Amino acid sequence: MTTHLFDLSHTLAAPLLENTEYPWEALDGLSAFLYQLGENLPADEYDQLQPGIWVAKDAKVAPTALLSAPCIIGHGAEVRHCAFIRGSALVGDGAVVGNSVELKNCILFDKAQVPHFNYVGDSVLGYKAHLGAGSVTSNLKSDKSLVQIKAEGQVLDTGRKKLGALVGDEAEVGCNSVLCPGSVLGRGCQVYPTSCVRGLVPAGHIFKAPGNLVKRV
């Protein structure tokens, strides 16, 4: 599933993800990976602002943003006003983390965009993936049970109490949508605004409503 969703040439997390069958397997080791990766980033390209926090010299980070270790902000990325990065976050080259956005234990591939009032937790967002204003990843079930992924007639046990969404390359999520725990969005799919998404949206499809999927043309 990892390589079905993501082109690993567009993230510094490739060494972590390429050893996984399913992307969520990388989340447990993300914190340690970021510390190790950060210590080996070129000093002429990245500033270490605090222990465990590395920011590319050409990135833009608003003075009101809060960065917590470990995190890495890539080349040309933008972290805007009042963004809250709680830690264990990799923000790829050219990615956008917008005003009042919260990130926690997640990977944003290069040029991913979460520009307005988004929450992204325990999730992976692929290359050029985009969450519309107010869209969030819900990463904890109401009964606190372990998250399962239901896709194509299979039920996959993730073994994780917290798991948000796996959003494939160039997927588009409409404003004020909720991606329920364990949601999987295939490459190039679209989600209508104000949707509540569960399970799998196949690559190249449009999610209009639960049970109403159409293939993009």
Side-chain angles (χ1 to χ4, degrees), residues 34-206:
L34 291 175
Y35 278 113
Q36 181 180 24
L37 177 62
E39 294 294 344
N40 291 285
L41 291 172
D44 61 339
E45 296 182 25
Y46 288 82
D47 292 322
Q48 185 171 6
L49 303 186
Q50 299 176 32
I53 299 175
W54 294 270
V55 177
K57 293 180 184 293
D58 57 351
K60 297 179 181 179
V61 178
T64 53
L66 176 60
L67 310 184
S68 301
C71 73
I72 295 173
I73 310 298
H75 287 290
E78 291 185 49
V79 181
R80 295 175 178 166
H81 177 65
C82 288
F84 178 25
I85 298 181
R86 288 170 52 189
S88 296
L90 173 59
V91 178
D93 294 351
V96 175
V97 180
N99 57 301
S100 305
V101 168
E102 181 177 347
L103 303 183
K104 172 249 180 187
N105 199 41
C106 60
I107 298 169
L108 272 58
F109 275 55
D110 299 344
K111 297 188 178 181
Q113 294 192 341
V114 286
H116 310 285
F117 309 108
N118 308 107
Y119 172 68
V120 182
D122 302 285
S123 299
V124 182
L125 272 59
Y127 175 64
K128 289 187 176 181
H130 174 260
L131 300 190
S135 295
V136 299
T137 64
S138 174
N139 63 340
L140 180 66
K141 296 173 66 175
S142 59
D143 63 2
K144 310 300 190 293
S145 61
L146 298 181
V147 176
Q148 295 180 319
I149 291 181
K150 299 177 181 180
E152 298 176 340
Q154 298 184 66
V155 177
L156 301 175
D157 292 313
T158 68
R160 295 185 58 86
K161 185 177 179 180
K162 290 190 175 182
L163 177 62
L166 308 170
V167 181
D169 294 344
E170 301 188 72
E172 291 275 349
V173 178
C175 296
N176 291 321
S177 294
V178 176
L179 306 181
C180 293
S183 297
V184 180
L185 276 57
R187 294 192 193 205
C189 73
Q190 292 182 325
V191 172
Y192 269 22
T194 70
S195 295
C196 182
V197 180
R198 298 179 185 274
L200 170 69
V201 180
H205 281 69
I206 300 172

